[in-house]
Amino acid sequence: MFQTEFLDIPALASAGGEVRLPGSKSISNRVLLLAALSEGTTQVHDLLDSDDTRVMLTALEQIGCRLEREGDSLRITGIGGALPPGTAAELFLGNAGTAMRPLTAALALLGGEFTLSGVPRMHERPIGDLVDGLRQLGCSIDYLGNDGYPPLRIAPADFRAAAVQAPIQVRGDVSSQFLTSLLMALPLRAAAQDITIEVVGELISKPYIHITLELLARFGIAVRNDNWQRFQIPAGSRYRSPGEIHVEADASSASYFIALGAIAAGPGVRILGVGAQSIQGDIRFVEAAQAMGAEIESGPNWLQVRRGRWPLQAIDLDCNHIPDAAMTLGVMALYAEGTTTLRNIASWRVKETDRIAAMACELRKLGASVEEGADYLRVTPPARPADWRAASIHTYDDHRVAMCFSLAAFNPQQLPVRIEDPKCVAKTFPDYFEALFSVCETPRERIPVICIDGPTASGKGTIAAEVAQRLGYGILDSGALYRIAGLAAHRAGIAIDPVHEEEIAALVRTLPIRFTATQQILLGDEDIGHAIRSETAGMDASRVSALPAVRAALVSLQLNFQRLPGLVADGRDMGTVIFPAAPLKVYLIASAECRAARRYKQLISKGISANITALRADLEARDARDMLRSVAPLKPAPDALSLDSSELSIEQVVEQVLHWWQQRQPFKG
């Protein structure tokens, strides 16, 4: 997952390949709570691992559930519909509506002393209609802040003060999570009599209620549904563990890759983990994408999507049935002919952020004309390619804003897109951007490279790693490659001489080399950082560097590190030979005295004896050799920016490089 302040996505050109989706958030948290309320143990497979499920799991442990990891599955031993005596806890539920609202209902009926809180945005998301419904039953719930909103205090209920013969009323036009919460919790009170829930007003997001009813049935609760207005939980209802249950992949997350297939040129995208027969309502996003022009095939657990009509066709759609996935249509509208209208989306305003306002603001940044109303959004794309603008997308700590706006990188003006706070996708899809980049392609020249060259011990490796970490870019330590090639040949038993030159070159082209932001050097899964620093490895590196075919293979290998979303490359000839078109080239220098002192400190910290005078002499001799060598001599590129780090801290050097980089970016916010 990208942990950076922002993520710059280069202009993308095409898409093709397979992507496997994570488990559904909506299903995961429902299954977790139902398993917790049940008797016995439930084994849950394919559970989503995200911020929202983690806060739910923590809360369930706090109330007495036993959780056991078994490989990729989770075993939950439930509380059998009753809390241990004297249970009390303070539960922090982040911004997870699928945890806050159902847990409020369940805990209010179970008894015990609880406080439920979350992040500031959670304290702005309404819960009053659910609390009103629970109070009809005699539940004791107090607001600790503003009335109608979390945080909450829950105390043991007085069920003698309220009868359950009359239907429990709950509004259906604010959030379907209120009804879901009651449906999942009220079997706790249905031992001796039927309990009826009556929906006041129009029920929005019916597909999410369908998910709830399907899962309740799996756990032994057969709810009678009277035209989505009355729901009856029969007397004698009791949660029974199904033994094991599989979590479907997330249909809402599928929307981004369905849209990707519809927008991008190329062979198309195959989406694994969800198919047309999904119980999730957001699978009907497929119909909306087809209406806009996407070509979609489906199997029992997969979708295949490719571009059909182009440009896409604008649509006018009631989105009540796909409230979360409909956000993706707002970005697809940028590529449509005409004006797209998304209706019946009032629930967007009480989600992780006010999504109608957020979408309108960010779409306008890109050059779209947008009209927003209380429950609709109307989007007209930029009239001409030249009207598109590079934009820094504010994500409002909303995972869906971050994910859907990544698709703006396919704009016809070939402009990059900046996604602020990319780690917000951890709520439902932590590896979203990695999955996106795995199926997207773009010409190599569009992928940004920062070159950091300089003499030995100038600190370029440390600076390159820090800059790469701050930008979320890959890293290339070119100085290690000849040592790795020599080590690989030695381990393979290949003599390092001209007779075996082509064999070594072929080996080099297949080496699975990775460099990490923590300056690890990995060959496959093995950290070889120590192995390539041996005297033998140094001698082998010198021998392989004399073989022209091996040098050519290593140049090709270095070029292959230029992958999405970008690269920071350090060495001696990155800006002059390997990446001469890089938009930023930094030539990092420091005095021989300073470099010798740094190297001395580094060696001593590792328990290696050293002489600072000898180190300085060695560095000066290496500088002379590197500058005089016939192939790729050490020198700054003509357009490189020189930076003397002798008197600067690592942080100061990093900040200067990032400042130069930001000056070259087109984003206006």
Side-chain angles (χ1 to χ4, degrees), residues 126-146:
I127 200 168
D129 293 302
L130 174 59
V131 170
D132 290 346
L134 291 166
R135 285 174 172 171
Q136 295 171 47
L137 290 162
C139 294
S140 176
I141 306 173
D142 294 320
Y143 298 111
L144 298 180
N146 295 324

Side-chain angles (χ1 to χ4, degrees), residues 12-63:
L12 301 175
S14 61
E18 291 185 349
V19 61
R20 181 169 292 280
L21 300 174
S24 161
K25 176 191 73 170
S26 297
I27 295 176
S28 290
N29 268 353
R30 284 168 171 80
V31 164
L32 289 176
L33 182 55
L34 291 171
L37 295 174
S38 297
E39 293 179 5
T41 298
T42 306
Q43 187 152 8
V44 184
H45 302 277
D46 305 319
L47 182 73
L48 172 66
D49 180 16
S50 74
D51 288 350
D52 281 17
T53 53
R54 289 188 203 111
V55 296
M56 176 66 95
L57 287 167
T58 299
L60 296 181
E61 283 190 300
Q62 287 180 266
I63 67 171

Side-chain angles (χ1 to χ4, degrees), residues 300-316:
N301 209 34
W302 57 267
L303 298 167
Q304 180 77 33
V305 189
R306 63 180 62 85
R307 183 198 276 186
R309 185 191 192 280
W310 192 256
L312 297 175
Q313 173 64 52
I315 58 174
D316 187 324

